[in-house]
Amino acid sequence: MGSKDSLALADEFSKRYRVTGADEFMLKDFSHDADEEFEAAGKDHGRELLALGVKMLSEMQDKLYAQDKWSLLVIFQAMDAAGKDGAIKHVMSGVNPQGCQVTAFKAPTAEELDHDYLWRCMKNLPERGRIGIFNRSYYEEVLVVRVHEEILRSQKLPDKLITEDIWKERLKDIRHFESYLNNNGILLVKIFLNVSKKEQKKRFLERIEQPEKNWKFSKGDLSERKFWKEYMDAYEQLIQKTATERSPWYVVPADNKLYARVVVAAAILHALDSMELAYPSVSAEQVAELHRLKEGLLAED
Ligand code: ATP
Ligand code: MG
């Protein structure tokens, strides 16, 4: 398949799940399941598609790096066991590690709490020509912090600033922050791996039952599951308020891991494609200079 066809395919795969801004966005309109045709075509076909996506990503990243102007920030958000780590591992498997950097955001440290919440994220933004991956992000500030308001109380904010408008304000600030990044040549792809509550249960049970998966199980994940509805409401609202043309959200069906990875690869490819990447062109003078240097090299004994 030519690269034009592959990019058209990536657009087709990602389009269905792309949200570019709508107050009417509703999570219930998006499926947890893979596309039926994809399922019917079988796993080998799925793996081939993913391999194609990974290869294309590697080629485009090379140009991104050479051009050294744009950069891409890919944000992963999801409930536990939705497959963030696996998606990052597989989708980015062909990418040159020199041009890519993954940052995982956990509960903030004491030093981080001494700053505004974007501080730790700003420090890890991708340089020009690079791809940055955030495994969780500042969106936790309108997710876990919103669901558990006691976390907000421990953030050392002045009391006066903790009002009922705080979530609305945070969402507005995030939207403006992302627009600022876009205006500086950083495009965003925001991935919500949309796993169902039922599938999460199945994956937790596997983590308990299969010894080689025991290490992945954490008791805390079970307690978060009790707040499923609160989390989904928070996701719905943040997608409504922060999905834009240049920083879209992708609501990726995540009950089939292979399908989720294909869609993630397609979404990243779509963003890279919009940058119209090309290797920097060389002027006639530079070509002449290269020839002179070549002659010199050949003339050496
Ligand atoms: P995995 O469990 O797959 O290894 P993970 O991303 O769940 O990956 P954990 O160390 O289990 O990693 O969890 C990180 C925890 O940190 C999550 O529960 C997340 O909600 C929490 N966290 C991240 N950012 C914040 C924040 N700003 N405030 C409070 N908690 C946060
Ligand atoms: Mg976890």
Side-chain angles (χ1 to χ4, degrees):
M1 198 186 293
S3 68
K4 251 202 168 132
D5 295 337
S6 317
L7 287 170
L9 192 65
D11 186 38
E12 195 187 303
F13 260 97
S14 56
K15 192 161 57 192
R16 269 189 276 172
Y17 309 110
R18 189 182 309 140
V19 184
T20 54
D23 272 355
E24 326 58 85
F25 165 79
M26 294 230 259
L27 214 40
K28 70 170 176 47
D29 296 336
F30 285 76
S31 172
H32 302 291
D33 298 318
D35 173 70
E36 276 176 23
E37 248 180 72
F38 178 92
E39 295 252 21
K43 274 203 165 172
D44 282 345
H45 171 74
R47 288 196 193 102
E48 268 170 37
L49 272 181
L50 183 59
L52 177 67
V54 168
K55 183 170 155 272
M56 294 277 307
L57 255 174
S58 152
E59 289 169 14
M60 292 182 84
Q61 183 218 11
D62 209 47
K63 289 186 191 157
L64 178 79
Y65 192 86
Q67 198 179 56
D68 203 17
K69 289 192 172 171
W70 291 98
S71 49
L72 182 70
L73 175 62
V74 188
I75 291 183
F76 283 87
Q77 286 291 158
M79 297 299 282
D80 285 298
K84 277 187 284 116
D85 293 6
I88 295 170
K89 179 169 142 186
H90 286 91
V91 174
M92 303 313 286
S93 61
V95 159
N96 179 353
Q98 284 218 84
C100 175
Q101 162 195 339
V102 184
T103 314
F105 293 96
K106 316 260 170 189
T109 62
E111 189 194 16
E112 286 165 354
L113 282 177
D114 267 335
H115 295 266
D116 62 283
Y117 66 82
L118 287 176
W119 180 74
R120 63 177 182 164
C121 297
M122 295 266 238
K123 286 199 301 184
N124 288 290
L125 288 173
E127 287 172 37
R128 294 196 192 284
R130 312 282 169 108
I131 299 178
I133 311 266
F134 281 3
N135 183 346
R136 303 186 186 272
S137 64
Y138 45 84
Y139 279 103
E140 293 292 325
E141 294 293 332
V142 286
L143 286 162
V144 69
V145 182
R146 184 171 191 175
V147 172
H148 299 285
E149 281 204 37
E150 66 277 13
I151 302 182
L152 182 67
R153 309 257 159 219
S154 66
Q155 284 194 335
K156 301 179 71 177
L157 282 167
D159 291 341
K160 207 174 131 184
L161 299 183
I162 304 182
T163 70
E164 58 184 25
D165 285 338
I166 193 160
W167 311 116
K168 223 166 67 191
E169 287 163 4
R170 283 190 172 192
L171 289 169
K172 201 162 120 199
D173 290 340
I174 289 175
R175 193 183 163 102
H176 288 162
F177 171 63
E178 291 181 346
S179 161
Y180 162 82
L181 296 182
N182 295 156
N183 291 336
N184 280 277
I186 303 173
L187 290 193
L188 275 84
V189 170
K190 301 179 289 192
I191 306 286
F192 169 49
L193 291 178
N194 188 20
V195 76
S196 67
K197 196 173 178 196
K198 191 169 151 221
E199 177 66 21
Q200 190 198 51
K201 181 174 175 177
K202 192 177 138 222
R203 292 185 189 172
F204 280 169
L205 286 172
E206 280 168 12
R207 290 180 175 188
I208 293 172
E209 285 160 5
Q210 298 176 17
E212 71 282 7
K213 288 192 178 169
N214 284 169
W215 66 275
K216 284 191 189 176
F217 184 75
S218 136
K219 237 166 71 186
D221 296 352
L222 272 189
S223 47
E224 287 316 288
R225 190 177 151 76
K226 299 202 181 88
F227 297 97
W228 194 272
K229 166 95 177 50
E230 286 82 347
Y231 273 107
M232 291 309 118
D233 289 347
Y235 269 112
E236 189 167 84
Q237 217 187 83
L238 77 82
I239 293 171
Q240 284 168 354
K241 298 296 177 201
T242 64
T244 64
E245 202 62 53
R246 293 186 298 173
S247 295
W249 271 102
Y250 286 88
V251 181
V252 178
D255 281 8
N256 175 329
K257 288 184 187 170
L258 184 56
Y259 187 66
R261 290 167 193 169
V262 170
V263 175
V264 170
I268 299 176
L269 281 174
H270 177 75
L272 290 172
D273 189 34
S274 74
M275 297 173 183
E276 294 174 338
L277 299 170
Y279 289 110
S281 54
V282 182
S283 68
E285 261 168 43
Q286 285 167 314
V287 172
E289 169 77 2
L290 285 174
H291 278 292
R292 272 197 302 279
L293 293 170
K294 181 180 161 190
E295 305 279 296
L297 264 179
L298 290 173
E300 271 181 11
D301 16 75

